[in-house]
């Protein structure tokens, strides 16, 4: 009985260790997500809302998964340089101007990781290299 108890304890410990191990990439992604959430709260939440719902007629929601996927490569440009082009989200046109937020590439990366993996989105990893590439393509 005692051997069974020891064996069970060791087995449960090994199983929990396997499930708790994360890759360095996953740990980095999680850190970006948390830091991005903090940036979102400080810089974006006033206009785009706590749940990404937007602000009445002024700021569009960021909950449209199709729009977010289609425009993912524009997000760094939009955040860094602002945006004045009308946007249609969930069939509604928003014509307000988004101000620019002259953020470092790492901050842009973190906020993009957060907004593309929250509010119903599951777009996964985004890197500072991708942000740099996307910023080179800004119009």
């Amino acid at each position: 009985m005692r051997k069974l108890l020891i064996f069970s304890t060791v087995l449960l410990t090994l199983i929990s260790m396997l499930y708790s191990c994360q890759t360095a990439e996953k740990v980095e992604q999680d850190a970006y997500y948390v830091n991005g959430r903090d940036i979102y709260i400080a810089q974006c939440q006033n206009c785009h809302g706590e749940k990404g719902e937007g602000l009445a007629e002024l700021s569009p929601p960021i909950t449209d998964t199709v729009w977010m996927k289609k425009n993912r490569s524009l997000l760094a440009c939009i955040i860094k340089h602002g945006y004045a082009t009308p946007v249609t989200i969930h069939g509604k046109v928003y014509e307000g101007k988004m101000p620019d937020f002259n953020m470092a590439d790492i901050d842009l990366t973190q906020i993009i990781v957060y907004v593309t993996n929250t509010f119903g989105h599951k777009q996964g990893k985004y890197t500072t290299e991708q942000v740099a590439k996307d910023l080179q393509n800004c119009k």
Side-chain angles (χ1 to χ4, degrees), residues 1-9:
M1 181 68 159
R2 183 180 168 153
K3 286 182 182 182
L4 180 61
L5 182 60
I6 292 171
F7 176 75
S8 297
T9 303

Side-chain angles (χ1 to χ4, degrees), residues 5-129:
L5 182 60
I6 292 171
F7 176 75
S8 297
T9 303
V10 170
L11 183 61
L12 285 173
T13 302
L14 288 172
I15 290 171
S16 66
M17 285 173 56
L18 286 173
Y19 280 106
S20 67
C21 291
Q22 295 183 15
T23 65
E25 185 177 287
K26 177 67 172 141
V27 170
E28 180 182 59
Q29 178 81 4
D30 290 347
Y32 281 15
Y33 182 89
V34 170
N35 292 338
R37 180 196 64 210
D38 293 343
I39 296 168
Y40 179 85
I41 290 168
Q43 302 290 329
C44 313
Q45 184 170 297
N46 283 342
C47 293
H48 291 289
E50 182 179 350
K51 296 177 181 150
E53 71 276 13
L55 181 63
E57 304 292 320
L58 302 174
S59 300
I62 52 176
T63 55
D64 186 330
T65 303
V66 173
W67 192 94
M68 292 291 281
K69 281 183 182 179
K70 181 180 175 186
N71 295 285
R72 183 176 179 168
S73 63
L74 298 176
L75 294 177
C77 295
I78 291 170
I79 296 166
K80 186 161 187 143
H81 302 296
Y83 202 68
T85 305
V87 177
T88 302
I89 306 288
H90 301 302
K92 185 175 182 180
V93 177
Y94 294 86
E95 296 186 47
K97 182 184 181 320
M98 180 173 154
D100 61 335
F101 293 92
N102 193 16
M103 296 181 180
D105 287 4
I106 186 66
D107 296 329
L108 291 168
T109 304
Q110 292 172 345
I111 197 161
I112 291 169
V113 166
Y114 178 72
V115 299
T116 60
N117 289 286
T118 309
F119 315 123
H121 311 300
K122 302 270 187 247
Q123 294 188 27
K125 186 177 177 182
Y126 201 80
T127 65
T128 52
E129 293 79 17

